[in-house]
């Protein structure tokens, strides 16, 4: 088990290669004991990095334990002064720890950064269009109108005819996000980031990070955001800011 | 609480945990007050006390009295459990040597190894890694040997 502890710590500290991560995640899925140990260690990390709560707990301890208790009934005035002190504490600590980080939680970060990727396709006149272009034309019309159910149907048709049409796959993933089918979006985007030579690669990383945030998969989101920063992708500065806000 | 077999210390503990649960809600932007803060704090503390009693089999009778309480605050069972878990983990974290606490925090904040070495005045990065491992394992041992630790 000791070796497994090492692996868990390496994973939590993001010290694994992508391949090691994938293998480890596979082991997590198939081994409930390993998953229990992983969750324990991950939660310990999350708990001990809560410096603001630790500090609040210490201050509360001081407040409630330094007040002399002379009767069995807690006096009303004691309750009021303790409540007042605690409210002041909360405000002070919130100012120190939360406001500088932009006051956003992951859902707000998602709301703030996410918008459907704009439709960027120019078409030849209908008579000159190929069969795929005709389908794409309809797909983008629906997409532009916010009719994502229909748009995704047409993007899928394109993919059935040409599985290497990465543009369709990318827009399809955005449609799935809009329809709140996040696992499907995740699947399409994960597939896209593995394929290196297409113009939607960086956008795919970005949308995948947002999908993970929305799914509350914070470790996966962090890994993708770090990749965006490391590889100097277009959204590098936004990714840095999110990492700063949420991690 | 005092009328229901609770002690002054219980009251202090419940008050603290109530405040911390509310603080986390503020942090996550989940706090929605539909009454005064005082009433809300009171209902959260009462909820924490009910949950505390429900863990003690001998207090089932008392628990039934409280369960009829109709003003349950918007605290989810996950928020309550998380608070209990984190309280335990943080308690044992504070038991570690100061150096261990500092080292674990620096690692979690992703401070580069060479900066940690400088901060702690330790030359060898290998030593730092070994020390961090020992600190974490000690913390896990403390937690697992706590009678209040429950495997999920």
């Amino acid at each position: 088990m000791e070796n497994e502890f090492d692996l868990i710590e390496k994973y939590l500290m993001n010290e694994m290669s992508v391949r090691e991560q994938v293998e480890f995640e596979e082991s997590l899925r198939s081994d409930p004991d390993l998953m229990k140990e992983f969750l324990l260690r991950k939660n310990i990390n999350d708990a001990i990095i809560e410096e603001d709560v630790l500090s609040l707990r210490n201050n509360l301890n001081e407040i409630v334990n330094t007040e002399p208790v002379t009767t069995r009934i807690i006096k009303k005035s004691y309750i009021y002064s303790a409540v007042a002190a605690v409210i002041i504490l909360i405000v002070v600590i919130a100012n120190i720890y939360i406001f500088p980080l932009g006051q956003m939680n992951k859902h707000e970060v998602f709301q703030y950064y996410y918008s459907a990727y704009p439709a960027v396709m120019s078409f030849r006149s209908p008579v000159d269009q190929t069969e795929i272009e005709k389908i794409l034309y309809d797909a983008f019309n629906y997409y532009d109108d916010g009719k994502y159910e229909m748009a995704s149907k047409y993007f899928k048709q394109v993919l059935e005819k040409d599985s290497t049409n990465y543009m369709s796959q990318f827009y399809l993933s955005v449609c799935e996000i809009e329809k709140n089918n996040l696992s499907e979006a995740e699947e399409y985007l994960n597939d896209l980031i593995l394929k290196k030579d297409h113009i939607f690669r960086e956008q795919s990383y970005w949308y995948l990070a947002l999908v993970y945030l929305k799914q509350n998969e914070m470790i996966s989101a962090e890994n993708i955001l770090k990749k965006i920063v490391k590889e100097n992708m277009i959204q590098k500065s936004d990714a840095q800011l999110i990492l700063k806000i949420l991690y | 609480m005092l009328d229901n077999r609770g002690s002054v210390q219980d009251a202090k503990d419940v008050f603290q945990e109530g405040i911390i649960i509310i603080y986390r809600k503020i942090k996550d932007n989940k706090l929605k007050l539909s009454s005064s803060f005082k009433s809300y704090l009171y209902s959260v503390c009462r909820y924490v006390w009910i949950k505390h009693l429900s863990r003690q089999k001998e207090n089932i009778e008392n628990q039934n009295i409280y369960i009829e309480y109709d003003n349950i605050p918007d605290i989810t069972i996950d928020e309550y459990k998380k608070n209990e878990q984190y309280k335990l983990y943080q308690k044992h974290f504070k038991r570690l040597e100061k150096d261990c606490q500092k080292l674990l925090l620096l690692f979690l904040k992703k401070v580069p190894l060479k900066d940690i070495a400088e901060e702690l005045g330790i030359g060898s990065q290998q030593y730092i890694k070994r020390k961090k491992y020992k600190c974490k394992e000690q913390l896990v041992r403390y937690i697992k040997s706590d009678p209040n630790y429950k495997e999920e």
Side-chain angles (χ1 to χ4, degrees):
Chain A
M1 196 68 181
E2 189 171 306
N3 191 30
E4 289 178 346
F5 294 167
D6 283 341
L7 286 176
I8 293 172
E9 293 298 329
K10 273 180 82 177
Y11 182 84
L12 289 174
M13 298 310 294
N14 203 21
E15 289 169 356
M16 281 183 170
S17 66
V18 175
R19 188 184 170 155
E20 284 172 330
Q21 279 178 29
V22 171
E23 282 171 5
F24 180 74
E25 283 164 5
E26 189 54 46
S27 313
L28 277 180
R29 277 190 283 272
S30 58
D31 183 346
D33 289 336
L34 182 66
M35 179 59 99
K36 265 186 207 165
E37 190 66 30
F38 169 76
L39 288 176
L40 169 68
R41 285 162 184 268
K42 181 186 171 301
N43 287 336
I44 290 175
N45 286 357
D46 292 343
I48 64 180
I49 206 166
E50 266 193 333
E51 289 180 274
D52 50 345
V53 174
L54 276 161
S55 153
L56 177 60
R57 206 181 276 284
N58 282 342
N59 289 327
L60 284 167
N61 251 325
E62 277 179 30
I63 292 170
V64 296
N65 289 320
T66 51
E67 189 75 14
V69 180
T70 52
T71 62
R72 198 168 170 268
I73 312 283
I74 300 174
K75 288 177 186 170
K76 266 192 170 182
S77 59
Y78 164 73
I79 296 175
Y80 291 144
S81 56
V83 169
V86 163
I87 293 170
I88 293 167
L89 260 176
I90 289 177
V91 171
V92 170
I93 291 175
N95 269 305
I96 295 170
Y97 290 98
I98 308 170
F99 295 161
L101 299 182
Q103 258 189 316
M104 280 193 191
N105 59 34
K106 50 194 173 292
H107 302 292
E108 287 167 335
V109 166
F110 177 86
Q111 293 296 338
Y112 182 78
Y113 282 104
Y114 175 79
S115 60
Y117 193 73
V120 282
M121 176 90 181
S122 54
F123 290 94
R124 292 182 283 182
S125 66
V127 278
D128 298 323
Q129 284 174 7
T130 64
E131 191 187 354
I132 283 186
E133 283 173 336
K134 281 178 185 157
I135 304 172
L136 276 174
Y137 182 81
D138 290 333
F140 276 110
N141 273 336
Y142 283 121
Y143 186 92
D144 249 350
D145 291 344
K147 293 175 180 165
Y148 298 107
E149 192 71 52
M150 287 303 288
S152 66
K153 193 175 140 193
Y154 283 91
F155 284 127
K156 275 181 189 165
Q157 278 184 25
V158 174
L159 283 172
E160 278 163 18
K161 292 180 185 302
D162 176 13
S163 61
T164 63
N165 193 313
Y166 301 136
M167 179 180 70
S168 284
Q169 190 169 337
F170 173 74
Y171 279 99
L172 179 56
S173 70
V174 179
C175 289
E176 297 305 330
I177 298 174
E178 289 289 337
K179 286 154 58 189
N180 211 24
N181 294 335
L182 297 178
S183 12
E184 272 156 75
E186 181 194 335
E187 203 173 312
Y188 290 129
L189 291 166
N190 261 317
D191 190 54
L192 278 171
I193 63 171
L194 293 175
K195 290 159 181 156
K196 295 196 185 297
D197 299 320
H198 61 91
I199 57 167
F200 291 97
R201 187 168 171 267
E202 294 191 3
Q203 294 298 345
S204 300
Y205 269 104
W206 176 241
Y207 277 81
L208 184 57
L210 293 176
V211 165
Y212 281 137
L213 283 179
K214 194 161 189 201
Q215 288 173 310
N216 204 16
E217 290 183 29
M218 300 306 284
I219 296 175
S220 305
E222 186 183 13
N223 290 340
I224 298 291
L225 290 166
K226 282 181 174 167
K227 177 97 175 165
I228 291 170
V229 174
K230 194 178 165 194
E231 291 197 11
N232 209 14
M233 295 184 198
I234 320 167
Q235 297 85 358
K236 180 184 174 181
S237 55
D238 288 335
Q240 278 173 323
L241 191 58
I242 296 176
L243 285 167
K244 192 178 162 196
I245 292 170
L246 295 181
Y247 295 91
Chain B
M1 281 178 63
L2 295 173
D3 292 338
N4 286 281
R5 295 187 213 174
S7 65
V8 171
Q9 192 54 49
D10 288 334
K12 287 177 177 179
D13 292 345
V14 164
F15 174 72
Q16 269 197 59
E17 296 318 311
I19 288 291
I20 288 167
I21 288 174
I22 293 173
Y23 175 72
R24 282 209 184 89
K25 283 187 97 71
I26 295 175
K27 226 168 91 163
D28 295 341
N29 269 342
K30 283 184 185 165
L31 183 69
K32 290 189 180 87
L33 281 181
S34 55
S35 56
S36 68
F37 181 78
K38 195 179 96 183
S39 311
Y40 186 71
L41 175 63
Y42 178 76
S43 66
V44 171
C45 289
R46 190 159 184 166
Y47 179 82
V48 172
W49 179 236
I50 293 168
K51 300 307 277 182
H52 174 79
L53 289 177
S54 71
R55 295 196 321 194
Q56 299 173 348
K57 283 180 188 164
E58 67 273 20
N59 273 322
I60 283 174
E61 203 178 312
N62 277 348
Q63 189 198 334
N64 290 337
I65 297 167
Y66 278 87
I67 230 99
E68 289 169 11
Y69 180 63
D70 57 2
N71 187 17
I72 301 292
D74 59 338
I75 304 294
T76 65
I77 189 74
D78 286 344
E79 283 170 318
Y80 173 78
K81 273 189 188 165
K82 177 180 171 177
N83 187 60
E84 288 294 295
Q85 254 184 1
Y86 281 27
K87 183 173 69 169
L88 183 80
Y89 301 162
Q90 289 169 351
K91 179 180 94 177
H92 290 295
F93 176 65
K94 300 295 273 183
R95 285 177 64 199
L96 293 175
E97 288 172 14
K98 291 283 173 214
D99 272 359
C100 267
Q101 291 181 25
K102 200 168 180 179
L103 187 58
L104 288 176
L105 279 177
L106 289 169
F107 262 91
L108 288 177
K109 288 176 181 172
K110 318 268 191 237
V111 175
L113 265 181
K114 66 174 180 52
D115 295 343
I116 296 179
E118 267 179 38
E119 173 87 21
L120 298 179
I122 300 168
S124 153
Q125 297 187 2
Q126 272 313 313
Y127 174 77
I128 291 175
K129 280 188 175 174
R130 278 202 307 277
K131 172 98 177 157
K132 180 244 162 189
Y133 178 80
K134 281 183 182 171
C135 293
K136 182 74 184 273
E137 292 314 305
Q138 188 175 14
L139 177 56
V140 173
R141 270 199 308 278
Y142 280 159
I143 291 168
K144 284 184 174 173
S145 57
D146 189 302
N148 288 321
Y149 168 70
K150 280 186 217 148
E151 278 190 48
E152 288 299 318

